[in-house]
Amino acid sequence: MTDKKTNDPVEPAEDADDIVSEPLKDGDESDQDLADDFVEIDETDETPEELREETPDPATLPATGLVSEFHDLTASQAAYLVSHRETSSVSRSPLFYVSALLLGVSVIAALIVGFQRAGAGIGDAPETLAVVGVDQEQADGFGQQLGLPVVSVEDQEAGEAMLRSGEAGAVYVLDPTGMQQASLLALDRDPQSILDVLNQPIPVDYLEPPAVAPAVSDPVAWGLAIVVAVGVLTLGAALTQNLRTEKRNRLAEVIASTIPARASAWGRVYGLTLLFLTFPVLAGAVLLVGLSIGQRTDLAVDLLPALGWFALIALMTAFLLLAAHLWAATSASRRVRRVGYGAAVVLTVAGVLAPLVLRAESTVMLWLSYAPLTSPVAMPMRYMAGQAEWWEGLVAAGISAVVGFIVYWLAASAYQRTLLRGAGRSGLKPSPRKRRSAPSQV
């Protein structure tokens, strides 16, 4: 055969088998090598950054629940979301800043005023004075001169028995030889009313020496009461207001559709309980700094055990009271909500004031130090008076925690019923209103 254009002879084509079986020359590349090179091309370098698909590694996902579009939330993650939202909104509110400022000023005022009026006020020791070393006639004349009831006792042991029973506020011990100055014996605090009447410097000895002097323990006790009252009432009011706002704006249904009701209840109470720690830390810092500036670091060291137990017990009590606020706020009846909120406020104020009013009664203070609502103030007062063992604070905190979890369980159950039924705890079921038919026109 010849080519029509060039008239050159054309050789016949080789068979396909011959072509395939022909070995490759050096430098030639096979089709498989070319395909491998084509697959190994990195296409991400050719794709614009805006169009690239980012799929995070599940092992690197944070445990905060902020990536709910990739996996379902666990109960702890859902509770964390609610607590973070609750604490963020409350900590940025003006009420929180005003309460913190008021707390700092109150602690400073309690220290200043308390040092000047130490021992004065409700719960002072009895004004009866027992005198050792004189007969009853001389004791009566001494009492008319001082304007106080004076009782003669045979010896110092009899006077100590009257002190422990509460029949006398102090024992006046005279030196039989008259060579030394008389001394005054008290139970565990200065008998300020008797010292004011005597109007002379006289040393005071204690039957039960306190760990902290009454001149410091009294104002500190008032400061602890203010911390609990201000912290719980502020956070309780914020919790109630947030629940009412969510219900008014129909946000409760949105939250309930994505987060379990019990996880939401736990997140609210748990988050605000941790936020409550801000108040004891702030008050303790102001107190310790004030004592350090006044060059009373020894008192600061003596106060550390009482302040430590106060922080733990107050935290458990705050959990209890915040759960009570949640329980009261879940009611569908406005009257029930108001009564419940008022009861929580009254219990909070009465709980912190009862130990201050009844501090002279040692038996009553023993019971108050274990009661959940009064233990945050009563137990530190007993520690400052040197009347409590180290394990008693742990028992008081445990009792408050148990009662708090019982109240929380009731509050969480009521909160869940409120979200699921929509009728609250008033017992009324929602029913549509009947339309009034328009009057027929004749």
Side-chain angles (χ1 to χ4, degrees):
M1 295 177 64
T2 58
D3 190 355
K4 294 181 180 180
K5 294 182 180 181
T6 58
N7 296 324
D8 294 335
V10 179
E11 297 181 357
E14 299 179 354
D15 296 337
D17 297 337
D18 298 336
I19 295 175
V20 174
S21 61
E22 182 179 358
L24 296 175
K25 299 180 179 179
D26 296 339
D28 295 341
E29 295 181 352
S30 63
D31 295 339
Q32 184 64 28
D33 295 337
L34 293 176
D36 295 340
D37 295 339
F38 179 79
V39 173
E40 291 177 357
I41 295 177
D42 191 2
E43 296 182 357
T44 57
D45 297 336
E46 303 296 336
T47 306
E49 183 178 358
E50 294 80 1
L51 301 179
R52 295 178 185 175
E53 182 180 359
E54 296 182 358
T55 304
D57 185 6
T60 61
L61 294 178
T64 60
L66 300 179
V67 287
S68 58
E69 64 273 12
F70 295 107
H71 60 87
D72 296 334
L73 295 178
T74 62
S76 60
Q77 291 172 344
Y80 173 82
L81 285 178
V82 176
S83 64
H84 180 72
R85 175 181 177 273
E86 197 79 12
T87 54
S88 298
S89 61
V90 173
S91 61
R92 291 195 299 264
S93 63
L95 178 62
F96 182 79
Y97 291 109
V98 172
S99 301
L101 179 61
L102 177 63
L103 180 61
V105 175
S106 300
V107 172
I108 297 175
L111 284 174
I112 296 175
V113 178
F115 276 112
Q116 298 177 354
R117 302 176 60 183
I122 303 175
D124 285 338
E127 295 183 355
T128 301
L129 179 63
V131 182
V132 179
V134 298
D135 54 12
Q136 188 60 42
E137 295 181 358
Q138 294 178 347
D140 293 339
F142 190 45
Q144 293 178 359
Q145 182 180 358
L146 297 178
L148 291 176
V150 179
V151 179
S152 176
V153 292
E154 297 179 358
D155 50 14
Q156 184 174 342
E157 287 74 10
E160 293 179 359
M162 295 184 65
L163 283 178
R164 298 183 186 277
S165 63
E167 298 177 4
V171 178
Y172 195 78
V173 182
L174 296 174
D175 184 17
T177 62
M179 301 297 295
Q180 297 181 357
Q181 184 182 3
S183 62
L184 199 64
L185 186 63
L187 183 60
D188 57 357
R189 63 176 57 245
D190 292 338
Q192 193 64 36
S193 57
I194 297 177
L195 291 174
D196 294 338
V197 173
L198 292 176
N199 196 19
Q200 59 180 346
I202 184 172
V204 180
D205 299 326
Y206 301 104
L207 289 180
E208 301 176 359
V212 180
V216 178
S217 62
D218 289 340
V220 168
W222 281 97
L224 299 181
I226 294 173
V227 169
V228 176
V230 171
V232 170
L233 295 182
T234 300
L235 299 180
L239 174 62
T240 304
Q241 183 62 31
N242 288 344
L243 288 175
R244 299 304 304 158
T245 302
E246 291 176 2
K247 187 174 182 180
R248 188 183 304 113
N249 297 334
R250 313 296 294 181
L251 294 176
E253 289 80 357
V254 178
I255 297 176
S257 62
T258 56
I259 295 177
R262 288 192 175 273
S264 178
W266 173 254
R268 296 175 189 275
V269 179
Y270 168 75
L272 293 181
T273 302
L274 292 183
L275 188 61
F276 172 80
L277 285 177
T278 306
F279 296 96
V281 170
L282 175 63
V286 173
L287 175 62
L288 296 179
V289 169
L291 293 176
S292 299
I293 294 176
Q295 297 181 355
R296 299 303 303 271
T297 55
D298 55 338
L299 293 177
V301 174
D302 295 337
L303 286 173
L304 286 179
L307 295 179
W309 286 115
F310 163 74
L312 178 61
I313 301 174
L315 184 66
M316 299 296 101
T317 304
F319 178 80
L320 188 158
L321 292 173
L322 290 175
H325 280 85
L326 176 64
W327 191 13
T330 55
S331 176
S333 174
R334 180 178 299 179
R335 178 177 299 179
V336 175
R337 288 197 306 269
R338 290 180 177 178
V339 172
Y341 181 76
V345 173
V346 170
L347 289 176
T348 302
V349 176
V352 299
L353 290 181
L356 300 174
V357 175
L358 303 173
R359 59 185 175 183
E361 303 293 336
S362 58
T363 304
V364 176
M365 286 293 294
L366 177 62
W367 289 102
L368 292 180
S369 62
Y370 293 106
L373 299 180
T374 57
S375 57
V377 180
M379 186 61 72
M381 291 179 65
R382 293 186 62 224
Y383 274 107
M384 289 185 291
Q387 300 174 354
E389 300 293 336
W390 67 269
W391 52 266
E392 295 188 31
L394 190 61
V395 173
I399 294 175
S400 298
V402 171
V403 177
F405 275 102
I406 293 175
V407 175
Y408 163 75
W409 182 80
L410 296 174
S413 300
Y415 181 75
Q416 185 178 15
R417 290 195 301 268
T418 300
L419 291 181
L420 297 181
R421 293 193 337 185
R425 293 186 290 108
S426 61
L428 301 178
K429 297 182 179 180
S431 59
R433 296 181 178 179
K434 297 181 179 180
R435 296 183 178 179
R436 295 182 180 179
S437 58
S440 59
Q441 297 180 358
V442 181

